Amino acid sequence: MKHALITASALALLGAPQFALADTSQDFADSFLPTAFVDAPELVECELSDGTTSECYKMTVDNKPDEFTIGPFCPSTTSEDGGLWNWDGDKAGLYRIDGAFLQMLDEQGFHFYDADGTVHISDPRTEQPDVDNACLQASLDDDVTMTLLIPAHPKPAAKPSQLGTVAKVGIALDGVPIFADAPSVLDTGHMPALDVCGGHIDPGGWYHWHATATDIGTALNSANVSADCALQQDATEKFAYAFDGFPIYGSRETNGSMPEGLDECGGHDEGEGYHYHASEGFPNLPTCLKGVVAENNFTTTAAGGIGSEHGGGPGAGQMPPGMEEAAETLGVDPQDLMQALGAPGQRPDLAEVAEKLGVSEETLRNTLPKPGR
Ligand SMILES: [Zn+2]
Ligand SMILES: [Zn+2]
């Protein structure tokens, strides 16, 4: 395992950051589990989202840490308990995916099971669901790796960036990437079930978090959900680094006290420097990123899903109808447009997409093809 070291004089050349550095580079690599990486962090030059050039840690992680037990996701029948879902329709909240929950969705018009109680389960890595409402449970692809770039000298952005559906949040110290809210059943009809620790498998075949997994017990308690995540729970522990390089802790300070003066993102500049805290409710992740992020900070060898070359699931690489024309109208490259929109079936943040492409949100909204079912 190679550790990239940075000398004090090299740091001095880069100038003082606006926030105190929470960690030295050695601490950065050492704060991860030894098993977290396929390729350990090394310092590389990188472009940041504010247009400057800086240094980033570049690291490659596996599709899932070895000896990591995941699931359950979708229950096979309504008499079994699956994982978790954060329901955003009527009677919104965090639920265990069990018969009672699926029946509640059934009453709201989402039919995830047959008359005999068999749950419709589909693997979005290999197939398109053949029903309107399927519980999605992707299979792993053991050949897939992900490469991430995290700024080595974190600094605040001019304004925080909101974390919309499946936005990139960070990398957990176990080497598992973290994303904001999974796509809503209300938008897609399908439920990409989370397991009891708040993770699931992307259509690209790799596992990722949608929660601060080492403090999910607090979120389960506050939602009154009965489920046991096998991971060691510790609300005071550092869980991850966000894509802006600032660390993410559980819902408590390291001394056990409640964090004070948290900003709109769920962070504060206290003690060792700026850091985020998990909220007590689900999803217990930062809601925005305070700092600048690296360009192209997440790539994967997977054929589909988030971060893949074409950003697609099954049938990746094909342009949705009308997309080439829309790109031409907007005067942008079709692949750039697809990349900016993110994975299909997931609601993109159009304001963010418009800003990325340098067009107005209204023009974008009027130009994009209307999604079909
Ligand atoms: Zn996900
Ligand atoms: Zn704090």
Side-chain angles (χ1 to χ4, degrees):
M1 198 161 118
K2 47 187 179 265
H3 280 268
L5 286 175
I6 181 168
T7 61
S9 56
L11 264 179
L13 283 174
L14 292 157
Q18 282 173 270
F19 279 163
L21 276 182
D23 291 279
T24 68
S25 58
Q26 185 64 65
D27 284 344
F28 181 86
D30 285 351
S31 58
F32 286 84
L33 291 183
T35 52
F37 305 113
V38 175
D39 291 313
E42 57 172 334
L43 276 178
V44 298
E45 195 180 278
C46 57
E47 302 292 324
L48 299 181
S49 52
D50 64 357
T52 62
T53 301
S54 184
E55 284 183 312
C56 289
Y57 298 112
K58 180 183 179 186
M59 66 207 88
T60 298
V61 297
D62 218 343
N63 75 324
K64 177 182 86 65
D66 296 340
E67 292 161 23
F68 208 84
T69 312
I70 60 173
F73 304 100
C74 301
S76 316
T77 72
T78 49
S79 53
E80 285 175 21
D81 289 343
L84 303 174
W85 190 248
N86 193 30
W87 174 241
D88 51 353
D90 195 20
K91 299 177 191 163
L94 183 67
Y95 288 88
R96 189 80 197 251
I97 306 173
D98 57 13
F101 173 62
L102 293 177
Q103 191 185 336
M104 183 186 97
L105 300 200
D106 202 67
E107 286 158 8
Q108 296 188 33
F110 297 93
H111 312 298
F112 282 92
Y113 56 92
D114 291 335
D116 68 357
T118 306
V119 175
H120 311 143
I121 301 177
S122 184
D123 178 353
R125 186 163 76 84
T126 58
E127 63 193 358
Q128 295 278 9
D130 58 1
V131 289
D132 284 345
N133 307 122
C135 186
L136 302 180
Q137 178 172 308
S139 52
L140 288 166
D141 181 347
D142 288 331
D143 295 333
V144 165
T145 60
M146 285 78 68
T147 298
L148 296 87
L149 284 175
I150 306 279
H153 317 290
K155 59 174 177 175
K159 67 178 174 62
S161 50
Q162 294 303 314
L163 293 170
T165 303
V166 303
K168 295 172 283 192
V169 177
I171 174 85
L173 302 184
D174 52 18
V176 174
I178 311 162
F179 291 83
D181 295 354
S184 169
V185 174
L186 302 180
D187 289 338
T188 68
H190 306 303
M191 186 192 307
L194 302 177
D195 66 19
V196 290
C197 295
H200 66 180
I201 303 165
D202 183 80
W206 43 274
Y207 187 72
H208 58 277
W209 296 125
H210 281 282
T212 297
T214 50
D215 191 21
I216 196 156
T218 302
L220 291 168
N221 278 341
S222 75
N224 236 329
V225 171
S226 150
D228 264 322
C229 168
L231 284 182
Q232 174 88 39
Q233 297 291 298
D234 186 350
T236 69
E237 203 171 273
K238 179 157 69 178
F239 170 64
Y241 282 92
F243 271 105
D244 59 10
F246 294 120
I248 303 174
Y249 284 83
S251 55
R252 299 292 173 115
E253 299 292 359
T254 47
N255 67 7
S257 65
M258 286 300 290
E260 286 173 5
L262 294 177
D263 61 22
E264 73 271 40
C265 299
H268 58 180
D269 194 2
E270 284 277 324
E272 291 173 83
Y274 189 84
H275 58 273
Y276 302 98
H277 282 283
S279 55
E280 296 202 313
F282 193 90
N284 56 353
L285 289 171
T287 51
C288 48
L289 291 189
K290 199 77 177 169
V292 295
V293 298
E295 300 289 352
N296 303 314
N297 57 4
F298 186 86
T299 51
T300 161
T301 58
I306 302 167
S308 65
E309 211 169 317
H310 299 295
Q318 287 170 8
M319 285 278 163
M323 204 55 89
E324 298 259 17
E325 294 76 1
E328 203 180 322
T329 309
L330 293 167
V332 299
D333 180 77
Q335 290 299 345
D336 288 348
L337 176 58
M338 290 294 287
Q339 187 108 43
L341 287 169
Q346 294 164 350
R347 186 169 48 185
D349 179 339
L350 288 186
E352 207 171 281
V353 175
E355 196 178 321
K356 262 186 215 160
L357 297 172
V359 301
S360 84
E361 189 183 341
E362 197 189 348
T363 308
L364 181 67
R365 201 177 289 279
N366 294 334
T367 310
L368 284 178
K370 300 284 170 271
R373 277 300 300 265

